[in-house]
Amino acid sequence: MDFKSQYEAYENSKRVTQIADNETSERLKIPVGSEYTIFPPPSTKQEAFERLKMYTGIIHLDSYVKAFRQRFPINLRTLSDELKTLDAFIVEAEELSTVDAFTNKSGSSVKRNHYEYLKWKYGYYENLEFNDYDFFSADAEFVYGKYFLYKKWLQEQIGVLTPKKQVNIVDRHKEDLKYHEKINPKKNITVFERIKRELNTIHWVIISQSLTKKNDVDNIINEDGRFCRIINLRSDRELISLEEYKQHYTERFENANTNVLVKNELIEIYRTALVIKKMYDETLTYSNPLVKDLFDSYQDNPKLLSEDIAFRTMIVLVVDYRVQNILFGYDSNSNDQNTVFTVRNFNYQVFNDELIGYCYSLINFINTFEIPELSYKGNEETIWLKDDLEVNVINVLQQPITNLDLSEQERKIIEAIEDHLPEGYFTGNSYEIIKSNLLEYFLNNSFPKFISKINTIRINKKKIGWGLSCLFKELKSKPLSIDYILFAKNIDKFENEIVENGNFQKSNLYKYMTERPRK
């Protein structure tokens, strides 16, 4: 079916029959009482998106394809050159701020379409409250039709004309990468831009785990996404230099004649990190039933941890601080020729929670500046952050736990914690923090979303590890679980230990928790 037939078929399916009254009769020049049809406007956000994808967007797509066919013959060279013009526009758009795009701070009509592209790509309209009049502007429809639907059509035509031996998805990623590196030579960028791109990388890691090939308009992933336990970041530049970033902004904040610019940068970083943190909480924690079911299956059948390690591993290729490719299904130690092209000078193996930990660090660091715009009580984002981090962490996790009003089960857990992990092992309020976290875990089978660092005295780390192990055996009566072992990394003695989800029994941390220390 051609494009015109598609959108006309959709329109016909949505038309509603009505009976002409006097006013309609005069306006349409038809007899009173005769039947006529209307194409009613969308009444919900879902209907608005459906009409854009099935009708308005297809109309735009049809016009671009017709214009291309009228000007050029269909071959690999003409299609590729047309695609390059769209890619150049997208590169320009990615250099701009999503905050400016979402708050309509375009400043110039020249950038209007660039901002619309960012709105589409980063979920502005999905989050926008529906109104029944012009929910999508003409600019929004234009950009969606050209830079998403038309781009996809060009890529599909190139795929059809490309010799079969070159159609392999990884081969195409290689070619895309070569082209990207050619038109985007390395250049010095600001710390602010580095942080924004790194946050965008984390954003991609999160959304890709629930993204399908069908909906991947940027052709980043090699196959449908799924929850991954291991993320291999491979970058041509060093990533996440947190201490460098802290020093940079501290010096600028203290020495600048005016703090307006640095405050605006910190506010944008802060809000972006918040959005990512919220997305992580909703999709990659136990609040997502699919994630909970997965980890429950590991509890029931520990062999699955090693059997599906490759399936639940992703390789993320980052070039000039931008995600170029995400390859699912390759083991971290894979020598597969399809992944050789991703190896770079800086290669990191991380977990989802470690990447979100980076977001937390940025949020907490920026909070130290006490920026008024981020502490105003009318700011919904700030209230949400204060509630989640400060109230829950400070007022709950760091308050002493007493035996008052404790249930019998809670009292039993607290007594077991105090038996196996003496208060003298810890400094400051760390003992109350670890007790609160462990109480939450043994009551609800999950740890809190945010866990403060737990500091200890100078002590043999095996004593703490053994205490944790004995506590688990007493209250759970089964082998140590991966989430319990990963929790131990919040303790300063173990924070630098490397734990591979699928092979955690061979880690040093596992040994510290299973070998009895000398007296």
Side-chain angles (χ1 to χ4, degrees):
M1 184 183 294
D2 60 25
F3 296 129
K4 187 172 186 292
S5 299
Q6 288 182 44
Y7 63 74
E8 286 182 345
Y10 176 80
E11 178 184 348
N12 291 333
S13 71
K14 296 297 180 179
R15 282 195 166 274
V16 176
T17 300
Q18 295 191 340
I19 304 299
D21 56 16
N22 290 331
E23 180 184 347
T24 305
S25 171
E26 183 176 347
R27 178 169 53 85
L28 298 180
K29 308 301 181 185
I30 59 177
V32 174
S34 60
E35 292 185 348
Y36 69 99
T37 63
I38 64 169
F39 188 25
S43 59
T44 66
K45 183 189 291 190
Q46 181 179 356
E47 290 179 2
F49 273 95
E50 179 185 275
R51 177 170 294 196
L52 178 70
K53 294 177 180 179
M54 302 296 292
Y55 182 73
T56 317
I58 303 298
I59 291 176
H60 281 281
L61 171 61
D62 189 34
S63 67
Y64 301 133
V65 172
K66 284 180 178 177
F68 182 85
R69 291 183 183 277
Q70 290 171 359
R71 289 180 295 163
F72 308 110
I74 302 293
N75 57 53
L76 281 175
R77 178 58 187 271
T78 58
L79 291 165
S80 298
D81 286 346
E82 178 74 348
L83 182 59
K84 288 177 184 178
T85 63
L86 271 63
D87 285 338
F89 168 91
I90 291 171
V91 169
E92 292 175 359
E94 290 287 3
E95 295 288 341
L96 303 177
S97 164
T98 54
V99 172
D100 288 347
F102 287 16
T103 54
N104 297 316
K105 296 179 180 178
S106 58
S108 168
S109 60
V110 176
K111 294 181 179 179
R112 189 170 63 232
N113 290 335
H114 295 77
Y115 283 113
E116 282 297 337
Y117 175 83
L118 293 178
K119 287 181 179 181
W120 274 116
K121 183 172 180 181
Y122 296 107
Y124 171 81
Y125 289 107
E126 286 84 345
N127 194 51
L128 185 64
E129 183 177 353
F130 177 75
N131 60 69
D132 59 2
Y133 179 75
D134 289 340
F135 183 69
F136 295 118
S137 67
D139 291 331
E141 293 172 348
F142 163 78
V143 169
Y144 178 77
K146 183 171 184 178
Y147 296 103
F148 291 90
L149 297 183
Y150 181 47
K151 178 183 176 181
K152 185 175 182 180
W153 178 84
L154 290 170
Q155 292 170 329
E156 289 174 348
Q157 299 308 304
I158 291 172
V160 170
L161 295 176
T162 301
K164 293 302 181 183
K165 64 179 181 180
Q166 298 179 24
V167 172
N168 181 280
I169 185 70
V170 177
D171 288 341
R172 193 185 74 214
H173 284 327
K174 292 178 184 178
E175 294 303 315
D176 289 346
L177 179 62
K178 289 179 182 178
Y179 173 68
H180 174 86
E181 292 178 330
K182 180 179 179 180
I183 66 172
N184 294 285
K186 284 186 180 180
K187 58 183 178 181
N188 292 327
I189 62 174
T190 64
V191 168
F192 176 52
E193 184 63 27
R194 281 180 62 183
I195 295 174
K196 287 200 300 179
R197 294 188 189 183
E198 288 176 351
L199 288 173
N200 190 46
T201 294
I202 297 173
H203 173 264
W204 260 110
V205 169
I206 293 172
I207 66 170
S208 67
Q209 294 179 57
S210 56
L211 187 65
T212 63
K213 279 293 298 173
K214 181 179 180 181
N215 295 324
D216 178 21
V217 295
D218 297 289
N219 285 311
I220 296 293
I221 60 177
N222 66 323
E223 56 190 51
D224 287 352
R226 62 273 196 168
F227 180 87
C228 283
R229 289 153 41 204
I230 296 178
I231 298 101
N232 293 291
L233 294 175
R234 297 180 177 179
S235 172
D236 59 341
R237 296 198 186 195
E238 185 176 6
L239 299 176
I240 308 181
S241 302
L242 188 58
E243 293 306 315
E244 176 187 340
Y245 303 158
K246 289 181 178 180
Q247 181 179 354
H248 169 84
Y249 276 106
T250 299
E251 292 177 353
R252 282 183 61 192
F253 199 88
E254 293 175 349
N255 301 323
N257 293 327
T258 174
N259 286 328
V260 174
L261 179 60
V262 67
K263 281 184 179 179
N264 288 340
E265 291 181 6
L266 289 170
I267 288 170
E268 182 173 345
I269 293 170
Y270 179 98
R271 289 174 174 166
T272 303
L274 270 181
V275 170
I276 294 172
K277 183 263 182 194
K278 185 177 181 181
M279 186 181 303
Y280 167 80
D281 288 343
E282 292 174 351
T283 61
L284 298 182
T285 66
Y286 270 38
S287 61
N288 181 346
L290 296 178
V291 175
K292 185 179 185 304
D293 290 346
L294 174 65
F295 278 91
D296 286 346
S297 70
Y298 291 150
Q299 294 278 8
D300 297 336
N301 184 6
K303 288 185 179 180
L304 290 176
L305 281 168
S306 57
E307 291 175 354
D308 74 348
I309 187 65
F311 180 73
R312 298 203 176 274
T313 297
M314 69 161 68
I315 295 174
V316 183
L317 177 57
V318 183
V319 177
D320 204 23
Y321 302 109
R322 297 185 189 282
V323 173
Q324 295 304 307
N325 305 126
I326 295 178
L327 306 180
F328 292 97
Y330 292 100
D331 188 275
S332 303
N333 301 316
S334 172
N335 294 317
D336 194 304
Q337 290 300 306
N338 286 331
T339 67
V340 171
F341 81 103
T342 66
V343 177
R344 290 296 188 269
N345 292 330
F346 298 94
N347 301 293
Y348 309 86
Q349 185 176 109
V350 296
F351 307 125
N352 289 306
D353 56 354
E354 290 179 307
L355 294 177
I356 293 305
Y358 171 60
C359 294
Y360 274 123
S361 296
L362 289 173
I363 290 169
N364 292 331
F365 169 66
I366 294 172
N367 271 335
T368 64
F369 291 97
E370 298 183 347
I371 298 173
E373 291 84 347
L374 298 179
S375 60
Y376 172 59
K377 294 303 180 182
N379 184 333
E380 181 180 353
E381 291 175 329
T382 304
I383 291 173
W384 176 81
L385 174 74
K386 298 293 185 184
D387 287 346
D388 193 19
L389 295 187
E390 294 191 7
V391 175
N392 286 344
V393 174
I394 296 176
N395 293 345
V396 178
L397 297 184
Q398 297 182 6
Q399 285 185 356
I401 296 176
T402 68
N403 286 331
L404 296 176
D405 299 322
L406 288 178
S407 67
E408 185 61 31
Q409 182 185 11
E410 290 171 332
R411 187 175 293 107
K412 177 183 177 183
I413 294 172
I414 292 298
E415 289 175 355
I417 294 172
E418 292 173 346
D419 285 343
H420 296 293
L421 295 169
E423 183 176 0
Y425 285 2
F426 304 89
T427 63
N429 62 350
S430 289
Y431 193 54
E432 300 305 328
I433 294 173
I434 194 170
K435 284 204 300 182
S436 296
N437 286 308
L438 290 171
L439 177 62
E440 173 76 11
Y441 177 76
F442 289 113
L443 283 173
N444 303 312
N445 292 315
S446 64
F447 287 105
K449 296 176 183 177
F450 180 81
I451 301 173
S452 297
K453 183 177 179 181
I454 300 166
N455 297 309
T456 60
I457 63 172
R458 295 185 63 180
I459 187 175
N460 183 350
K461 62 179 66 177
K462 287 186 177 181
K463 288 188 176 182
I464 298 175
W466 182 252
L468 286 167
S469 178
C470 292
L471 174 66
F472 187 91
K473 291 177 181 177
E474 177 179 336
L475 297 177
K476 288 285 188 180
S477 301
K478 62 181 181 180
L480 292 173
S481 62
I482 181 63
D483 57 341
Y484 191 78
I485 290 174
L486 290 175
F487 162 76
K489 285 171 62 66
N490 294 285
I491 301 173
D492 58 1
K493 290 289 189 294
F494 307 127
E495 61 183 347
N496 295 321
E497 297 296 332
I498 297 175
V499 180
E500 293 185 3
N501 288 28
N503 205 19
F504 66 89
Q505 294 95 338
K506 293 186 178 181
S507 66
N508 287 332
L509 180 50
Y510 184 82
K511 293 179 181 177
Y512 296 145
M513 297 176 71
T514 54
E515 293 180 0
R516 182 189 295 271
R518 296 179 181 177
K519 293 185 178 180

